[in-house]
Amino acid sequence: MNAEQPSLGGDPHSRQNIVIVGGGAGGLELATHLGHKLGRKHKAKITLIDRKRTHIWKPLLHEVATGTLDTGTESVSYHAHGARHGYQFELGELTNLDTRNKTYTLAPRLDQDGKVLMPSRELPYDTLIMAVGSISNDFGTPGVQEHCYLLDSTRQADRFHTALIDRFTDIHQNRPGDRLRIAIVGAGATGVELSAELHRVTELLRSYGMAGMSRHQLEVTLVEAGPRVLPALPERISTSVTRELINIGVKVSTSTMVSSADENGLLTKDGERIDADLMVWAAGVKAPDFVGKIDGLSLNRGNQIETNEYLQAKDPEGNVIDGLWVIGDCCSFTMEDGTRVPPRAQSAHQMASCVFKNLMNQRVAKPLKGFAYHDHGSLVSLSRYSAVGSLMGNLSSKSMFVEGKLARLFYISLYRMHQIAIHGKFRGALIVVLDWLTRVIKPKMKLH
Ligand SMILES: Cc1cc2nc3c(=O)[nH]c(=O)nc-3n(C[C@H](O)[C@H](O)[C@H](O)COP(=O)(O)OP(=O)(O)OC[C@H]3O[C@@H](n4cnc5c(N)ncnc54)[C@H](O)[C@@H]3O)c2cc1C
């Protein structure tokens, strides 16, 4: 047996214990596929572990932050989803892995008052897929953790939303005519999409009773260290997005490096101040910090786990770690041209499909399939106003620039495809109808 095709540990048809850690864009799709193929038929035990009870597709977090997305409707309960799709869900936070003895450790589970409900547990696995995503990287910038909001989880997005509504209510009731100043650091997809969505919020607030509220009472500054917004995307998209942002009133400040944050705003490397009432840090990507503390993994500078061409984790000597696979934002996969697969929902989706195929191939001793990333383009939502992006053709590597309503349609279809992947075509279609009805019936914004 070659080192890259490790054994499953005994009889390949025995009931294998497959554990997926992280039920996000990649992990939930993989758990669903494995549940259908193996879990339902009792061919393997499939367990999905997440530190939260519900799944929200992460590219929607900026809408959670502004309150324009109803988390009650859009959340997927892992317990209910697992029961329907053939996997078990376990609530827990991974803190460590012992890759030699094939065990994983979950943190103690606490109740709302911090009392231990379940102590820390060490549990065995045959195959474990790391799909724990990423967090923002503040690069050690002083004051960020204390004074800036992050958008790495639904809880953080909810915290920002509460602060936003509190500030607007205060202005409406006590300081009519005042402005709310929001500074967003990082003009990647998160920063750009949040800036645009915030401008919609003032319009919605006016229609939901805060008469007198107008766009002019919101000042959003988008700060980017690089020379242009969306530095990872083609220049044409960046130019078009900058124009749209300026049109809706966002101040775009490029080539501006933030050196610290305090309670009143940001300080730049050039010694300038950007005063702000609320600050969001949406720059940089790294794997969660606990990944960096796991022994025996090969990691890049952002804690992401290095893999071979089949998405199997490597140790620091470059050997494959038996039974450990990595997908999504926490995976560092180097392509033939030396660049890394970008941390995007489409990457997580493609990696989930590749690992699914490889796990199925391994069971019947078929050769593993190398991962090949296909860039289908990039779309950036500018709230209900528009979307901008590029789409790659299937047959040629040429990209097509799209903007406006057509781009918005493609952008929405990305989420719909994720819904179909985790719910199936029939239920996926029902959910689309339900979403549409919800939008018609319910307020367009969460006001509490
Ligand atoms: C606001 C925003 C907008 C975005 N827009 C786009 C976009 O337009 N297009 C695009 O392609 N990408 C976009 N992205 C990026 C995209 O969301 C990610 O690339 C994608 O979600 C990564 O998928 P994943 O499965 O690796 O991780 P995630 O989807 O982040 O899922 C990780 C899961 O792991 C769980 N987890 C983490 N740590 C632990 C632990 N220790 N124990 C147990 N569970 C754990 C988390 O709770 C989470 O459920 C956006 C991201 C943000 C924040």
Side-chain angles (χ1 to χ4, degrees), residues 99 134 168 171 176 280 301 312 320 327 346 376 390 410 433:
T99 54
S134 62
F168 271 131
I171 288 176
V280 178
R301 285 200 308 181
Q312 294 168 302
V320 168
I327 62 171
Q346 61 172 316
H376 295 303
S390 62
F410 280 117
V433 175

Side-chain angles (χ1 to χ4, degrees), residues 7 19 54 68 121 167 175 184 196 199 248 283 316 365 374 388 394 437 445:
S7 89
V19 177
T54 56
T68 49
R121 292 150 287 159
R167 299 288 179 130
R175 300 182 286 121
I184 300 168
H199 270 270
I248 57 174
H374 298 289
V388 178
N394 277 340
L437 284 175
M445 185 185 167

Side-chain angles (χ1 to χ4, degrees), residues 391-405:
L391 299 172
M392 308 293 270
N394 277 340
L395 300 176
S396 79
S397 59
K398 283 202 178 137
S399 71
M400 181 177 79
F401 180 78
V402 282
E403 60 186 328
K405 289 226 162 67

Side-chain angles (χ1 to χ4, degrees), residues 21-27 49-52 58-59 61-62 78 92-94 131-134 151 189-190 193 288 290 327-330 343-346 348 379 411:
V21 188
I49 294 171
D50 203 287
R51 54 183 181 185
K52 300 170 296 139
K58 201 175 174 189
L61 278 190
H62 63 286
Y78 290 120
E93 181 169 354
L94 184 77
V132 292
S134 62
L151 287 193
T190 309
E193 292 181 345
F290 82 92
I327 62 171
D329 284 7
C330 66
R344 291 196 198 152
Q346 61 172 316
L379 291 160
Y411 178 84

